[in-house]
Amino acid sequence: MAVPNKPSTEGAARYDKWTRRCLERASRKALTWSFIGVLAFVAQLLLVYQVGTASILPVFLLVASAVVFVFILRRRPPVGMILGNEPWNQVQVRWEGRYLVVAGTRPVVLAVQGVGPLLRGRVRRHRRAWLVDPDQEGRTVVAFRGVPKLFPAKVLTRVFG
């Protein structure tokens, strides 16, 4: 089964092959980090029982496992809930500072999480993205061609032109 390199604008975004691929990758990544956190915690417990509390290593492992769990909990937005049954919409975009502006008769300014400088450059060249209509809280999801990751975004302002 060939997986497309962009979302489809037909049907609900949640059932799109591209979306499922992105969500599966995110789940595998979260599972890997969870495993690392559990492994660090178990290693910390074993060291406490073997070495005692005189060593700094068990404390370091405990802090490392706590940081991993906090990272996992904070970095996983409820993307599935945001997608709902809305379809993907292909839109023209541009960067203005650190905000993504969706062009159209009613431009929308989005604060997109997790977009680095390389992806910003790619978006500047292609000026194309896919997004789902925002929910009542102004949350949406943005996707870019060839990047198998869903980026949560927040609608900041609606500029009526």
Side-chain angles (χ1 to χ4, degrees), residues 64-131:
S65 64
V67 166
V68 167
F69 286 127
V70 168
F71 178 75
I72 291 169
L73 293 175
R74 290 185 53 95
R75 293 281 301 193
R76 252 189 96 102
V79 172
M81 293 173 63
I82 296 171
L83 289 173
N85 290 322
E86 299 292 327
W88 286 107
N89 300 308
Q90 183 177 356
V91 293
Q92 295 294 318
V93 295
R94 70 181 186 279
W95 288 107
E96 285 190 11
R98 39 179 225 166
Y99 300 113
L100 186 67
V101 178
V102 178
T105 56
R106 295 173 34 173
V108 178
V109 179
L110 302 173
V112 184
Q113 299 174 7
V115 178
L118 292 176
L119 184 55
R120 285 180 193 262
R122 184 177 193 170
V123 173
R124 277 189 187 100
R125 283 192 304 279
H126 297 291
R127 294 182 175 251
R128 185 173 44 188
W130 288 262
L131 61 89

Side-chain angles (χ1 to χ4, degrees), residues 7-16 19 79-90 130-136 139-141:
S8 170
T9 56
E10 297 178 12
R14 144 184 319 203
Y15 304 114
D16 181 51
T19 306
V79 172
M81 293 173 63
I82 296 171
L83 289 173
N85 290 322
E86 299 292 327
W88 286 107
N89 300 308
Q90 183 177 356
W130 288 262
L131 61 89
V132 174
D133 289 337
D135 62 6
Q136 287 81 8
R139 300 178 301 174
T140 186
V141 178

Side-chain angles (χ1 to χ4, degrees), residues 33-46:
W33 279 108
S34 298
F35 180 72
I36 289 170
V38 168
L39 189 64
F41 185 74
V42 169
Q44 179 266 337
L45 285 178
L46 290 174

Side-chain angles (χ1 to χ4, degrees), residues 138-153:
R139 300 178 301 174
T140 186
V141 178
V142 180
F144 303 104
R145 183 183 183 123
V147 182
K149 183 178 178 184
L150 302 177
F151 296 91

